[in-house]
Structures are given as structure tokens and as C-alpha cells.
Amino acid sequence: MPEGSGLSSSEGRRAPSVTGRVFSILEAFDGDHRALTLTEIARAAGLPVSTAHRLVGELTSWGALERGPDGAYRVGLRLWEVGSLAPRSVGLRERAMPFLEDLYEAVRQNVQLAVRDGHEIVYVERLAHPEAVRVYSRVGGRWPLHPTAVGQVLLAHAPPVVQESVLAERLPAFTPRTVTDPAALRRVLAGVRRDGVAVCDGMIDLAALSVAAPVRGEDDAVVAALSVVVPSPSEGGGIEPRTLVPAVRAAARGISRALGAPTALRSDAVPRADGGGR
Amino acid sequence: MPEGSGLSSSEGRRAPSVTGRVFSILEAFDGDHRALTLTEIARAAGLPVSTAHRLVGELTSWGALERGPDGAYRVGLRLWEVGSLAPRSVGLRERAMPFLEDLYEAVRQNVQLAVRDGHEIVYVERLAHPEAVRVYSRVGGRWPLHPTAVGQVLLAHAPPVVQESVLAERLPAFTPRTVTDPAALRRVLAGVRRDGVAVCDGMIDLAALSVAAPVRGEDDAVVAALSVVVPSPSEGGGIEPRTLVPAVRAAARGISRALGAPTALRSDAVPRADGGGR
């Protein structure tokens, strides 16, 4: 939230606190930088090597970092253990897993579960069939909101201030089919709210189509999005996306029910066969 | 590694560093304490409330903690994201997942993947069938080595110094069947090394039996253990444990191959149908 909170030590906006220095060391690691030498950590964190050496030593003693036989440092198991306690990570995932499994069994493609953090999605689970269409997601990885079906679902249900802020940004195009025009994206989001589902065809990769539905929590707020990614029909994929919608919506409702979402618990939301209800 | 490194602030052995204080705040959270007030955090971390307030604020700004509408703090998604980069967590899990899925499909019970950290196992993945026998593991959760099949596999292949250290401890009994005698455990570990598999019947819960096999990494060292947990036959379970051994060993070998373990890559280890080879 707070911009310029002194956590980014390399920009010199403010003298970083020790905590800020520790975070800048952790931030040196990402999906493309999983093993770093002390010098590389110091450079990425914008710290003198002596300071980095001391802090890396403390991080390693606790288990937040681990030093391999090659002398390089990697993120340690202990940090992941603590992170696993995050309600929006493993907790969400554990409740969702049976439904993800069922959906995976039914479609034998990619099944993904994501949450929103700021202007990005973070994948908390991904089940990928070995022969499924290739996806670029990674558990713990981030991706923009506008070109993915899970992102569109999460953006459509984000607070208005978040939506307006995203719509005011320059939205990068990943393929010629990525929706980047704010007015067009606004219409897409309205459609997602109306239909309860988002469909993205070829917006990140022309070969892939994703279908996503919202997952609701205790207070019925949208807390996550569930998607299936299949080969795009426009590229000769064999699956008609419309046929996936009921399965994705049903699985998302099942997860919502497991999370205690009131609307997913109400059986009177389902019209009776005898024409009762409304 | 270093005992008394000043990371435990509540014992007053040494003035804790800021990093040590941050770790003591993170350690206030565990599987039974997922949401804490500031006062609870300060008490658990052994810090004055004013110090805790400042550090919790910094942790929350970065995303290591998140404050809910109830005012309580929880572990934040950002910490899990960084932790997901740990090679022994999500990295291992992602490579193992297709094999875990196959095993889960084959047995429709519990499938678990664990690594050793010190004298404990840490579960990095768990697939549980809704109707499977109840297990007490949790992804990111810890458990002792001696009463679990994965623990026995990991202990059997741990450095001798670790083995001797565990054998010298008082080993708690969870059921009358838990192996707690050092000499008996030593024989069990020798059997695990000889057979390439561990079988634990009713050692944590009389109703459950687990079968585990070692997963090897690039240098053929054992880096993880894979297990299946089924109802115990002695409690009327329907599965003969011996029938699970080939499936568990095959899946563990598959994961080892995915990790680049030399012995799992050698096809000459498999006798030919024409009687060639050894």
C-alpha cells in the first residue's frame, strides 16, 4: 500500500530500515533468479557486500535462505513453511483441492486457481495434464489482470478504485487478440459480472483459451478465481469453450460452498423441477 | 545450525537483532495460531508492544503479514510467494506432481510428499481422497521422523550424525505400535535401506498404514520421500500393503528421474525380457 515506505533500498528515497533491507534481499529472488551468490544478492538489493553478508547470515541461520554445495543461496524451506500459513495460499488451496481434482479429471487439461494482489494475479494452484496446451503460469507466479480469464474475473469484482486504476494504465498486448482498449475492457468486465464467467481466447498465447469463474468467501465477496485452460478452437483445438462453462461454474460454486459463502449454501437459489421458487 | 544465535528473543541469552525480532514475530504464527492480534504477537514474540507495533507495520506494508477486517493479523500472500521459490518446496512439488497424480488415481487414498528438515519431516504436498483414511499431515506441517514411513525413509538415508542424534533422543509413542526403542528403530532403518521401502502400520494412528519410498536428486542423494496412506489391515482395512509397494516405488523412481537422479535414468538397471543384462 504505502508508496515510498522505505522498503525499496535501491532508490535512495529514504534510508531503509533493517526490515527493509531484509525484504530487499528476499526480493532479489524470483522465478528467473532462484540461486544467487552473495555478490549478486548485494547488487540486486542495493546493499554493501558487508551488510548483505551479515543479513544473509542471519537469514540462513533461521532457514529463510539455504546455502547449497555450490556456495549459492536459495530461498529456504522455513520461509515457505511460514508462508504456507497464509490463508490466501495453502489454506485456500487445501479447501479448493477436491474440486480442482474433479475438474482436472473431467477435462484433462490445465486447471488453475488464482487470487488478486494489487494489479496482478498470483497463482496459488495449477494442475497441468502432461498433454494439455502449454500455459505460462507458475504456482506463486504473477501475471497481469487484463489478458487472463482469472484476472478478468478478479478485476470485474475488485473495488471500483482498483478497476479505474487498472483501466487508466497502459495495458500491454501479448497477442493481437489481447484486449488493451479501456472501453473494450470495461465492456468485457460488465459481461463477466453479468454472465458469472470470463472467456479469454488467445489473449496471452494464440493457442490457448481459458474459462474462469469467481470463488466467493464467507461474506460472499470474490476471493479467488478458478479457470480451465484448453487449446483455442481458432487454432484447431477440439474443445468448444461453451461446453466448459457449466463445469467451471459448478467447481467454483463448490469451492465457494467449502469456504462458507452464503450464496453457495442457499439451495433455494436452484429452481425446483416442479416450477416452485420464483 | 548455530545454537543461541540470538534468534530466540524470549530466552534472553543475547540481545536479539532486528532480524531476530522479525523472525520471532513470524514464529508467533503456526497451524493452531493463524490469526493473532498485535498484543498476542508481542507476547508470543517476547517483544514490547511498541516494538511489535513498529515491526508488524513494516511486515504488513511489505505483505509478509495481512490485517483482516477483524483487526487480526495473518501471514500474507507475499511471504508465501517468496517461499514458493524454495527449491525444496514448490519446485520439488511441481516436478513430482504428475507422478503424485498418477499414484493418487491408482490408489484413491492419501498420497504425500515430504522432505527432512533437521529431526523432522515437512510435508510439501498431500493429495487426500475425500473418502480416504484420515491423516494428520498438513502441507507445510511438521512431524517427527520415527513414526512415519516417509520419516523412516528420510532418516534411513540421512547422514550418520543425524541418525545417531535421533536414536539418542527419547522417541515419543503415539500408539502402542510406535517404534520407540533405539535398537528396534536401527533394525527398521536397515530394513528400509535394504528393501528400498518403509511400511508403518498404526504407528501414529492405529487405523492407518503408510508405505513410503525414497526420491533421489541430481547426485542420487535422497532428497524427499513419497508415501501412500491407506486403512490399516489390522483394523479391517481392505488393502494389502504389499500390493502398494510396486506403485509407490515406481512413482518415487519417476520423480527421481524427473529430478535427474542418475540411477533413475539408467535403463540397464532393468533386466531385459531376452535375459540379457544382469
Side-chain angles (χ1 to χ4, degrees):
Chain A
M1 302 135 202
E3 284 285 318
S5 60
L7 300 183
S8 173
S9 61
S10 57
E11 296 172 42
R13 288 180 295 195
R14 201 187 289 188
S17 65
V18 175
T19 320
R21 292 194 192 103
V22 166
F23 294 144
S24 67
I25 287 174
L26 295 181
E27 286 174 346
F29 296 85
D30 62 31
D32 298 322
H33 303 88
R34 291 170 180 267
L36 296 172
T37 64
L38 181 63
T39 315
E40 288 167 340
I41 292 172
R43 193 184 309 131
L47 295 173
V49 171
S50 58
T51 306
H53 181 259
R54 179 174 57 78
L55 292 173
V56 164
E58 292 189 27
L59 286 163
T60 306
S61 292
W62 187 70
L65 298 180
E66 292 178 5
R67 192 173 191 196
D70 57 357
Y73 293 90
R74 292 166 181 81
V75 174
L77 193 65
R78 188 84 187 85
L79 202 68
W80 173 78
E81 275 181 72
V82 177
S84 297
L85 298 169
R88 296 208 296 158
S89 67
V90 175
L92 170 64
R93 176 192 164 279
E94 294 246 304
R95 306 258 204 114
M97 202 64 183
F99 302 96
L100 301 179
E101 291 282 345
D102 290 346
L103 192 56
Y104 174 84
E105 282 308 311
V107 300
R108 292 268 162 191
Q109 287 283 339
N110 306 281
V111 175
Q112 306 186 129
L113 183 70
V115 298
R116 182 178 64 83
D117 198 46
H119 290 194
E120 292 173 308
I121 51 172
V122 177
Y123 290 101
V124 295
E125 186 51 277
R126 187 174 77 98
L127 301 179
H129 194 268
E131 288 159 29
V133 62
R134 187 180 168 197
V135 291
Y136 298 88
S137 60
R138 173 177 68 75
V139 172
R142 286 178 174 254
W143 206 260
L145 292 164
H146 69 284
T148 63
V150 281
Q152 290 181 357
V153 163
L154 292 167
L155 184 57
H157 294 93
V161 60
V162 173
Q163 292 186 29
E164 293 310 317
S165 167
V166 169
L167 287 162
E169 285 175 356
R170 197 191 67 79
L171 302 171
F174 295 87
T175 73
R177 304 183 74 161
T178 310
V179 58
T180 57
D181 175 60
L185 182 55
R186 206 180 283 276
R187 284 192 298 275
V188 165
L189 298 180
V192 169
R193 282 188 294 268
R194 183 188 62 228
D195 303 336
V197 69
V199 179
C200 276
D201 189 1
M203 290 203 191
I204 283 185
D205 177 340
L206 288 174
L209 176 144
S210 57
V211 176
V215 172
R216 295 173 185 276
E218 275 175 29
D219 55 358
D220 262 336
V222 172
V223 294
L226 169 72
S227 75
V228 167
V229 187
V230 300
S232 170
S234 59
E235 296 282 305
I239 302 172
E240 165 55 44
R242 286 288 140 196
T243 64
L244 295 168
V245 170
V248 174
R249 290 184 63 175
R253 190 173 192 276
I255 301 170
S256 303
R257 193 173 59 251
L259 295 175
T263 52
L265 293 166
R266 275 215 311 264
S267 60
D268 64 355
V270 181
R272 308 254 179 75
D274 63 3
R278 72 238 69 182
Chain B
M1 302 135 201
E3 284 285 317
S5 59
L7 301 184
S8 172
S9 60
S10 56
E11 298 172 40
R13 289 179 297 195
R14 201 188 289 188
S17 65
V18 174
T19 321
R21 291 194 193 103
V22 167
F23 294 145
S24 66
I25 288 175
L26 295 181
E27 285 174 346
F29 295 86
D30 62 30
D32 298 322
H33 303 88
R34 293 170 179 266
L36 297 172
T37 64
L38 181 63
T39 315
E40 289 168 339
I41 293 172
R43 193 184 309 130
L47 294 173
V49 172
S50 59
T51 307
H53 181 259
R54 181 174 56 79
L55 292 174
V56 163
E58 291 189 29
L59 286 163
T60 305
S61 292
W62 187 69
L65 298 180
E66 292 178 5
R67 192 172 192 196
D70 57 357
Y73 294 90
R74 292 166 181 80
V75 174
L77 193 66
R78 187 86 186 83
L79 202 66
W80 173 79
E81 275 182 71
V82 177
S84 297
L85 298 168
R88 297 208 294 157
S89 67
V90 176
L92 170 63
R93 178 192 162 278
E94 294 247 303
R95 306 259 204 114
M97 203 64 183
F99 302 96
L100 300 180
E101 292 281 345
D102 290 346
L103 193 56
Y104 174 84
E105 283 308 311
V107 300
R108 290 269 163 190
Q109 287 284 339
N110 305 282
V111 175
Q112 307 187 128
L113 184 70
V115 298
R116 182 178 65 81
D117 197 47
H119 289 194
E120 293 175 306
I121 51 172
V122 177
Y123 290 100
V124 294
E125 185 51 277
R126 187 174 78 98
L127 302 179
H129 195 267
E131 288 159 28
V133 62
R134 188 181 166 196
V135 291
Y136 298 89
S137 60
R138 172 177 68 77
V139 171
R142 288 178 172 253
W143 205 259
L145 292 164
H146 69 283
T148 62
V150 281
Q152 290 181 357
V153 163
L154 292 166
L155 185 57
H157 295 93
V161 63
V162 173
Q163 292 185 31
E164 294 309 319
S165 167
V166 169
L167 287 162
E169 286 176 354
R170 197 190 68 76
L171 302 172
F174 294 89
T175 73
R177 305 182 74 162
T178 310
V179 57
T180 58
D181 174 59
L185 182 55
R186 208 181 283 276
R187 285 193 298 275
V188 165
L189 298 179
V192 169
R193 282 187 294 268
R194 184 188 63 230
D195 303 337
V197 69
V199 179
C200 276
D201 190 0
M203 289 203 191
I204 283 184
D205 177 341
L206 288 172
L209 176 145
S210 57
V211 176
V215 171
R216 294 173 186 276
E218 274 176 31
D219 55 0
D220 261 336
V222 172
V223 294
L226 169 72
S227 76
V228 167
V229 187
V230 300
S232 170
S234 59
E235 297 282 306
I239 302 172
E240 164 56 43
R242 287 289 140 196
T243 64
L244 295 168
V245 171
V248 175
R249 291 183 62 176
R253 191 174 192 275
I255 301 170
S256 303
R257 192 172 61 250
L259 295 174
T263 53
L265 293 166
R266 276 215 311 265
S267 60
D268 63 356
V270 181
R272 307 257 179 73
D274 63 3
R278 62 237 67 191

PDB file of all heavy atoms in Angstrom, chain B residues 240-259:
ATOM      1  N   GLU B 240      -4.176 -54.769   0.940  1.00  0.00           N
ATOM      2  CA  GLU B 240      -2.981 -55.487   1.390  1.00  0.00           C
ATOM      3  C   GLU B 240      -1.775 -54.597   1.076  1.00  0.00           C
ATOM      4  O   GLU B 240      -1.537 -54.255  -0.087  1.00  0.00           O
ATOM      5  CB  GLU B 240      -2.902 -56.829   0.650  1.00  0.00           C
ATOM      6  CG  GLU B 240      -1.569 -57.528   0.713  1.00  0.00           C
ATOM      7  CD  GLU B 240      -1.094 -57.759   2.143  1.00  0.00           C
ATOM      8  OE1 GLU B 240      -1.933 -58.161   2.988  1.00  0.00           O
ATOM      9  OE2 GLU B 240       0.103 -57.536   2.410  1.00  0.00           O
ATOM     10  N   PRO B 241      -1.023 -54.166   2.120  1.00  0.00           N
ATOM     11  CA  PRO B 241       0.032 -53.164   1.900  1.00  0.00           C
ATOM     12  C   PRO B 241       1.064 -53.586   0.859  1.00  0.00           C
ATOM     13  O   PRO B 241       1.579 -52.743   0.122  1.00  0.00           O
ATOM     14  CB  PRO B 241       0.665 -53.002   3.282  1.00  0.00           C
ATOM     15  CG  PRO B 241       0.128 -54.089   4.135  1.00  0.00           C
ATOM     16  CD  PRO B 241      -1.159 -54.529   3.537  1.00  0.00           C
ATOM     17  N   ARG B 242       1.371 -54.869   0.801  1.00  0.00           N
ATOM     18  CA  ARG B 242       2.391 -55.331  -0.159  1.00  0.00           C
ATOM     19  C   ARG B 242       2.021 -54.974  -1.594  1.00  0.00           C
ATOM     20  O   ARG B 242       2.886 -54.798  -2.434  1.00  0.00           O
ATOM     21  CB  ARG B 242       2.575 -56.854  -0.041  1.00  0.00           C
ATOM     22  CG  ARG B 242       3.298 -57.295   1.207  1.00  0.00           C
ATOM     23  CD  ARG B 242       4.780 -56.930   1.156  1.00  0.00           C
ATOM     24  NE  ARG B 242       5.255 -56.468   2.454  1.00  0.00           N
ATOM     25  CZ  ARG B 242       6.397 -55.798   2.637  1.00  0.00           C
ATOM     26  NH1 ARG B 242       7.172 -55.496   1.620  1.00  0.00           N
ATOM     27  NH2 ARG B 242       6.757 -55.412   3.827  1.00  0.00           N
ATOM     28  N   THR B 243       0.707 -54.899  -1.856  1.00  0.00           N
ATOM     29  CA  THR B 243       0.289 -54.589  -3.227  1.00  0.00           C
ATOM     30  C   THR B 243       0.576 -53.137  -3.587  1.00  0.00           C
ATOM     31  O   THR B 243       0.556 -52.769  -4.754  1.00  0.00           O
ATOM     32  CB  THR B 243      -1.218 -54.834  -3.416  1.00  0.00           C
ATOM     33  OG1 THR B 243      -1.942 -53.922  -2.575  1.00  0.00           O
ATOM     34  CG2 THR B 243      -1.601 -56.262  -3.033  1.00  0.00           C
ATOM     35  N   LEU B 244       0.841 -52.300  -2.568  1.00  0.00           N
ATOM     36  CA  LEU B 244       1.093 -50.882  -2.838  1.00  0.00           C
ATOM     37  C   LEU B 244       2.558 -50.612  -3.165  1.00  0.00           C
ATOM     38  O   LEU B 244       2.886 -49.597  -3.773  1.00  0.00           O
ATOM     39  CB  LEU B 244       0.703 -50.038  -1.623  1.00  0.00           C
ATOM     40  CG  LEU B 244      -0.768 -50.032  -1.256  1.00  0.00           C
ATOM     41  CD1 LEU B 244      -0.968 -49.416   0.114  1.00  0.00           C
ATOM     42  CD2 LEU B 244      -1.572 -49.277  -2.315  1.00  0.00           C
ATOM     43  N   VAL B 245       3.440 -51.518  -2.709  1.00  0.00           N
ATOM     44  CA  VAL B 245       4.876 -51.266  -2.816  1.00  0.00           C
ATOM     45  C   VAL B 245       5.332 -50.976  -4.246  1.00  0.00           C
ATOM     46  O   VAL B 245       6.026 -49.973  -4.483  1.00  0.00           O
ATOM     47  CB  VAL B 245       5.687 -52.422  -2.173  1.00  0.00           C
ATOM     48  CG1 VAL B 245       7.165 -52.276  -2.474  1.00  0.00           C
ATOM     49  CG2 VAL B 245       5.439 -52.451  -0.665  1.00  0.00           C
ATOM     50  N   PRO B 246       4.947 -51.813  -5.231  1.00  0.00           N
ATOM     51  CA  PRO B 246       5.428 -51.513  -6.590  1.00  0.00           C
ATOM     52  C   PRO B 246       4.985 -50.135  -7.087  1.00  0.00           C
ATOM     53  O   PRO B 246       5.772 -49.419  -7.699  1.00  0.00           O
ATOM     54  CB  PRO B 246       4.813 -52.631  -7.438  1.00  0.00           C
ATOM     55  CG  PRO B 246       4.509 -53.738  -6.462  1.00  0.00           C
ATOM     56  CD  PRO B 246       4.150 -53.055  -5.177  1.00  0.00           C
ATOM     57  N   ALA B 247       3.743 -49.758  -6.802  1.00  0.00           N
ATOM     58  CA  ALA B 247       3.236 -48.465  -7.283  1.00  0.00           C
ATOM     59  C   ALA B 247       3.992 -47.303  -6.634  1.00  0.00           C
ATOM     60  O   ALA B 247       4.358 -46.331  -7.309  1.00  0.00           O
ATOM     61  CB  ALA B 247       1.742 -48.344  -7.000  1.00  0.00           C
ATOM     62  N   VAL B 248       4.237 -47.414  -5.320  1.00  0.00           N
ATOM     63  CA  VAL B 248       4.943 -46.339  -4.610  1.00  0.00           C
ATOM     64  C   VAL B 248       6.390 -46.242  -5.105  1.00  0.00           C
ATOM     65  O   VAL B 248       6.899 -45.150  -5.369  1.00  0.00           O
ATOM     66  CB  VAL B 248       4.896 -46.563  -3.083  1.00  0.00           C
ATOM     67  CG1 VAL B 248       5.738 -45.525  -2.346  1.00  0.00           C
ATOM     68  CG2 VAL B 248       3.451 -46.507  -2.580  1.00  0.00           C
ATOM     69  N   ARG B 249       7.051 -47.399  -5.263  1.00  0.00           N
ATOM     70  CA  ARG B 249       8.436 -47.374  -5.733  1.00  0.00           C
ATOM     71  C   ARG B 249       8.540 -46.844  -7.153  1.00  0.00           C
ATOM     72  O   ARG B 249       9.461 -46.101  -7.487  1.00  0.00           O
ATOM     73  CB  ARG B 249       9.060 -48.775  -5.639  1.00  0.00           C
ATOM     74  CG  ARG B 249       9.268 -49.200  -4.185  1.00  0.00           C
ATOM     75  CD  ARG B 249       9.938 -50.535  -4.067  1.00  0.00           C
ATOM     76  NE  ARG B 249      11.272 -50.508  -4.663  1.00  0.00           N
ATOM     77  CZ  ARG B 249      12.117 -51.529  -4.623  1.00  0.00           C
ATOM     78  NH1 ARG B 249      11.773 -52.644  -4.002  1.00  0.00           N
ATOM     79  NH2 ARG B 249      13.302 -51.433  -5.183  1.00  0.00           N
ATOM     80  N   ALA B 250       7.601 -47.239  -8.006  1.00  0.00           N
ATOM     81  CA  ALA B 250       7.630 -46.763  -9.394  1.00  0.00           C
ATOM     82  C   ALA B 250       7.431 -45.251  -9.454  1.00  0.00           C
ATOM     83  O   ALA B 250       8.142 -44.545 -10.176  1.00  0.00           O
ATOM     84  CB  ALA B 250       6.549 -47.476 -10.208  1.00  0.00           C
ATOM     85  N   ALA B 251       6.494 -44.737  -8.670  1.00  0.00           N
ATOM     86  CA  ALA B 251       6.244 -43.290  -8.679  1.00  0.00           C
ATOM     87  C   ALA B 251       7.452 -42.533  -8.130  1.00  0.00           C
ATOM     88  O   ALA B 251       7.842 -41.496  -8.671  1.00  0.00           O
ATOM     89  CB  ALA B 251       4.998 -42.969  -7.855  1.00  0.00           C
ATOM     90  N   ALA B 252       8.080 -43.071  -7.067  1.00  0.00           N
ATOM     91  CA  ALA B 252       9.263 -42.421  -6.490  1.00  0.00           C
ATOM     92  C   ALA B 252      10.411 -42.418  -7.505  1.00  0.00           C
ATOM     93  O   ALA B 252      11.156 -41.434  -7.617  1.00  0.00           O
ATOM     94  CB  ALA B 252       9.689 -43.136  -5.207  1.00  0.00           C
ATOM     95  N   ARG B 253      10.522 -43.502  -8.268  1.00  0.00           N
ATOM     96  CA  ARG B 253      11.575 -43.555  -9.291  1.00  0.00           C
ATOM     97  C   ARG B 253      11.290 -42.556 -10.410  1.00  0.00           C
ATOM     98  O   ARG B 253      12.190 -41.922 -10.941  1.00  0.00           O
ATOM     99  CB  ARG B 253      11.690 -44.977  -9.859  1.00  0.00           C
ATOM    100  CG  ARG B 253      12.918 -45.176 -10.724  1.00  0.00           C
ATOM    101  CD  ARG B 253      13.063 -46.644 -11.142  1.00  0.00           C
ATOM    102  NE  ARG B 253      14.369 -46.893 -11.726  1.00  0.00           N
ATOM    103  CZ  ARG B 253      14.666 -46.682 -13.010  1.00  0.00           C
ATOM    104  NH1 ARG B 253      13.748 -46.212 -13.828  1.00  0.00           N
ATOM    105  NH2 ARG B 253      15.883 -46.944 -13.467  1.00  0.00           N
ATOM    106  N   GLY B 254      10.013 -42.420 -10.751  1.00  0.00           N
ATOM    107  CA  GLY B 254       9.626 -41.445 -11.774  1.00  0.00           C
ATOM    108  C   GLY B 254      10.003 -40.028 -11.368  1.00  0.00           C
ATOM    109  O   GLY B 254      10.545 -39.257 -12.161  1.00  0.00           O
ATOM    110  N   ILE B 255       9.722 -39.687 -10.113  1.00  0.00           N
ATOM    111  CA  ILE B 255      10.074 -38.351  -9.622  1.00  0.00           C
ATOM    112  C   ILE B 255      11.592 -38.188  -9.621  1.00  0.00           C
ATOM    113  O   ILE B 255      12.128 -37.151 -10.033  1.00  0.00           O
ATOM    114  CB  ILE B 255       9.499 -38.104  -8.207  1.00  0.00           C
ATOM    115  CG1 ILE B 255       7.979 -38.246  -8.226  1.00  0.00           C
ATOM    116  CG2 ILE B 255       9.898 -36.723  -7.687  1.00  0.00           C
ATOM    117  CD1 ILE B 255       7.337 -38.260  -6.836  1.00  0.00           C
ATOM    118  N   SER B 256      12.306 -39.229  -9.180  1.00  0.00           N
ATOM    119  CA  SER B 256      13.776 -39.171  -9.169  1.00  0.00           C
ATOM    120  C   SER B 256      14.305 -38.920 -10.583  1.00  0.00           C
ATOM    121  O   SER B 256      15.236 -38.134 -10.782  1.00  0.00           O
ATOM    122  CB  SER B 256      14.355 -40.491  -8.629  1.00  0.00           C
ATOM    123  OG  SER B 256      13.854 -40.772  -7.342  1.00  0.00           O
ATOM    124  N   ARG B 257      13.692 -39.568 -11.554  1.00  0.00           N
ATOM    125  CA  ARG B 257      14.128 -39.385 -12.942  1.00  0.00           C
ATOM    126  C   ARG B 257      13.860 -37.941 -13.377  1.00  0.00           C
ATOM    127  O   ARG B 257      14.702 -37.305 -14.013  1.00  0.00           O
ATOM    128  CB  ARG B 257      13.417 -40.377 -13.857  1.00  0.00           C
ATOM    129  CG  ARG B 257      14.013 -40.447 -15.253  1.00  0.00           C
ATOM    130  CD  ARG B 257      13.400 -41.569 -16.069  1.00  0.00           C
ATOM    131  NE  ARG B 257      11.974 -41.385 -16.250  1.00  0.00           N
ATOM    132  CZ  ARG B 257      11.028 -42.124 -15.682  1.00  0.00           C
ATOM    133  NH1 ARG B 257      11.356 -43.131 -14.903  1.00  0.00           N
ATOM    134  NH2 ARG B 257       9.756 -41.874 -15.897  1.00  0.00           N
ATOM    135  N   ALA B 258      12.686 -37.425 -13.003  1.00  0.00           N
ATOM    136  CA  ALA B 258      12.353 -36.032 -13.344  1.00  0.00           C
ATOM    137  C   ALA B 258      13.336 -35.056 -12.700  1.00  0.00           C
ATOM    138  O   ALA B 258      13.577 -33.972 -13.227  1.00  0.00           O
ATOM    139  CB  ALA B 258      10.929 -35.709 -12.910  1.00  0.00           C
ATOM    140  N   LEU B 259      13.904 -35.453 -11.563  1.00  0.00           N
ATOM    141  CA  LEU B 259      14.876 -34.597 -10.874  1.00  0.00           C
ATOM    142  C   LEU B 259      16.301 -34.815 -11.393  1.00  0.00           C
ATOM    143  O   LEU B 259      17.224 -34.146 -10.958  1.00  0.00           O
ATOM    144  CB  LEU B 259      14.837 -34.864  -9.364  1.00  0.00           C
ATOM    145  CG  LEU B 259      13.528 -34.512  -8.629  1.00  0.00           C
ATOM    146  CD1 LEU B 259      13.597 -34.972  -7.178  1.00  0.00           C
ATOM    147  CD2 LEU B 259      13.242 -33.017  -8.698  1.00  0.00           C
TER     148      LEU B 259
END
